[in-house]
Amino acid sequence: VEAALKADGIDPAVLGFDAQFERLRHQVEHAALSGLLPGMAWLEAHRPPEPARRVICHGDFHPLNILAENGKVTGVIDWPSVALAAPELDMGSSLANIGNAPFALPALLEPPVRLMLASALRRYYRGYRRQRPLDDRAVRYYQVFRCMTQLAWSVPTVASGMAGGGAFTSEAGIRNLIANIKTLSGVTLRLHGAGQ
């Protein structure tokens, strides 16, 4: 991928994690999302070292982006978050997206569904680690990063009263992301009027 980008006169750094981090920082600053600044500070302070080898990361890998026919994967769609980065970025992104998606369920059903989902994600993580070693701290970091990225998009969308735009553009989705950031990092985000 890097060779193909260079051949077309494109700097491969545009697909690096540094570029994603700077896009998030710009989004937070441009939208004046001061409630996200403690999360940005945590991300800055806990950033993992550069990986020895970068891989192609989808950045938004979850079941709705996987095409299959007769039980076999035929393709993966929706690549705007692609990055050349540490493999932990993809795992962290998947865990954050799938584990925090809000469900429109009766109150009694949500706890068992969440438990089943958590169990499935643990199996996915273990299966991935059998194929490639992962740094658990880096996976946690990229989960926080993905939650922050989702918030930077979702908070302004919800605050403006716009509908749609993804699974997290709801007060329930925003609450889930904020709670997950607190669990993973210890950082409390205060976003008045948006999921709080």
Side-chain angles (χ1 to χ4, degrees):
V1 172
E2 287 185 353
L5 288 170
K6 287 176 182 174
D8 282 343
I10 300 169
D11 183 355
V14 299
L15 291 183
F17 179 69
D18 283 346
Q20 287 200 355
F21 192 92
E22 288 309 311
R23 280 193 294 274
L24 173 59
R25 186 196 312 277
H26 174 76
Q27 199 168 359
V28 168
E29 291 173 357
H30 179 72
L33 298 171
S34 60
L36 295 185
L37 293 179
M40 292 302 299
W42 186 91
L43 288 172
E44 192 72 64
H46 294 85
R47 193 152 168 190
E50 283 296 310
R53 182 169 176 264
R54 299 185 302 167
V55 300
I56 300 170
C57 297
H58 182 274
D60 193 19
F61 192 70
H62 57 75
L64 297 179
N65 284 338
I66 301 170
L67 302 177
E69 186 174 355
N70 299 322
K72 294 189 178 183
V73 174
T74 58
V76 178
I77 60 170
D78 194 13
W79 288 83
S81 299
V82 67
L84 300 175
E88 288 86 357
L89 183 147
D90 241 2
M91 177 56 69
S93 176
S94 293
L95 295 176
N97 284 340
I98 299 168
N100 294 297
F103 300 119
L105 293 171
L108 284 175
L109 286 181
E110 181 143 0
V113 168
R114 289 280 171 202
L115 282 173
M116 287 189 300
L117 183 59
S119 175
L121 288 173
R122 282 193 299 273
R123 287 195 309 275
Y124 172 59
Y125 194 25
R126 285 195 301 268
Y128 191 105
R129 290 189 71 178
R130 283 194 292 272
Q131 304 296 318
R132 175 192 297 274
L134 291 171
D135 179 333
D136 293 336
R137 287 171 301 179
V139 171
R140 182 183 68 168
Y141 176 89
Y142 290 116
Q143 285 181 75
V144 175
F145 176 78
R146 185 62 181 176
C147 288
M148 287 286 293
T149 302
Q150 294 286 18
L151 283 172
W153 167 257
S154 300
V155 169
T157 303
V158 170
S160 70
M162 291 169 54
F168 296 102
T169 52
S170 66
E171 292 207 357
I174 290 171
R175 275 194 306 271
N176 289 355
L177 294 168
I178 291 170
N180 195 236
I181 289 170
K182 171 75 170 174
T183 299
L184 293 168
S185 69
V187 172
T188 300
L189 302 178
R190 305 210 181 276
L191 301 168
H192 303 293
Q196 286 284 302

